[in-house]
Amino acid sequence: MKSIILLGYMGAGKTTIGHALAKDLGVQFYDLDWYIEMRFHKTVAQIFQERGEEGFREIERNMLHEVAEFENVVISCGGGTPCFFDNMDYMNSLCTTIYLKASAEVLSAHLKMGRVVRPLIVGKSEEELTAYIQEMLNTREPFYMKAKHIFDVDLLNSREKVDESVKMLRDATGI
Ligand code: S3P
């Protein structure tokens, strides 16, 4: 099996679905942010602070080149990964890419449910967050839409919803 890369905006459920999908397929799961944190012994937030976004994007590209070489795994990349350098073409050349597409409302709800510190959205009010997400989606979607498959994601607020999404994703993409 070609490795599978899940992509999409922050809060789309890339890690949640990726984890459950890998388990269902019986393969290893890699989250690119976690992989970066493990390799650098620093959180993504710390890397942003110390090297700025530009420094983070370079590290992210290098680490993407490590994990995308792994065979037969499920990978979830960061929300910005497809939008820098030639990352999207690179991922498409090696892996089965799936865009997890969610509305700004669903993304906002998921981000409010999560506890991960995300440097790009820290300190934003609910209203600011939804407006910011909408604006970012407008610029990022052209990259995300280059994925080989597009899968609509709804609100994932229970274990059952996650399992159901994995089943639907497998049916829709034939993996
Ligand atoms: C980012 C998304 C984050 C992380 C970093 C930047 C982005 O990943 O890579 O904070 O640019 O959208 P998740 O989408 O996994 O939260």
Side-chain angles (χ1 to χ4, degrees), residues 103-109 112 124-137:
S103 65
E105 288 71 27
V106 166
L107 295 169
S108 211
K112 269 182 249 125
K124 287 193 171 30
S125 72
E126 207 173 311
E127 233 172 55
E128 284 169 343
L129 183 60
T130 310
Y132 177 79
I133 291 174
Q134 194 53 64
E135 205 178 298
M136 287 291 262
L137 275 181

Side-chain angles (χ1 to χ4, degrees), residues 4-145:
I4 295 160
I5 300 193
L6 302 181
L7 56 105
Y9 196 69
M10 285 182 274
K14 301 183 295 284
T15 306
T16 308
I17 292 181
H19 209 272
L21 175 65
K23 199 165 164 221
D24 205 48
L25 290 168
V27 301
Q28 191 78 35
F29 171 65
Y30 287 90
D31 177 283
L32 186 58
D33 282 341
W34 295 352
Y35 188 80
I36 293 170
E37 295 187 344
M38 185 196 73
R39 289 275 272 100
F40 282 75
H41 303 280
K42 278 183 183 155
T43 63
V44 166
Q46 280 170 327
I47 299 174
F48 259 77
Q49 222 168 31
E50 288 171 15
R51 308 190 188 213
E53 181 168 359
E54 212 177 304
F56 173 75
R57 295 302 173 194
E58 268 170 34
I59 290 173
E60 182 182 47
R61 176 187 51 184
N62 296 341
M63 296 301 102
L64 171 68
H65 282 232
E66 286 191 14
V67 294
E69 294 285 336
F70 299 157
E71 283 169 18
N72 209 23
V73 299
V74 172
I75 300 160
S76 69
C77 65
T81 317
C83 315
F84 292 84
F85 311 106
D86 63 346
N87 290 350
M88 194 64 228
D89 292 335
Y90 172 75
M91 292 191 277
N92 272 334
S93 71
L94 284 180
C95 305
T96 301
T97 50
I98 305 174
Y99 169 29
L100 300 186
K101 191 174 190 297
S103 65
E105 288 71 27
V106 166
L107 295 169
S108 211
H110 284 171
L111 288 170
K112 269 182 249 125
M113 271 160 41
R115 274 161 293 157
V116 183
V117 178
R118 283 154 158 125
L120 293 176
I121 58 166
V122 78
K124 287 193 171 30
S125 72
E126 207 173 311
E127 233 172 55
E128 284 169 343
L129 183 60
T130 310
Y132 177 79
I133 291 174
Q134 194 53 64
E135 205 178 298
M136 287 291 262
L137 275 181
N138 295 342
T139 55
R140 287 184 170 188
E141 269 217 317
F143 295 95
Y144 296 159
M145 293 302 280

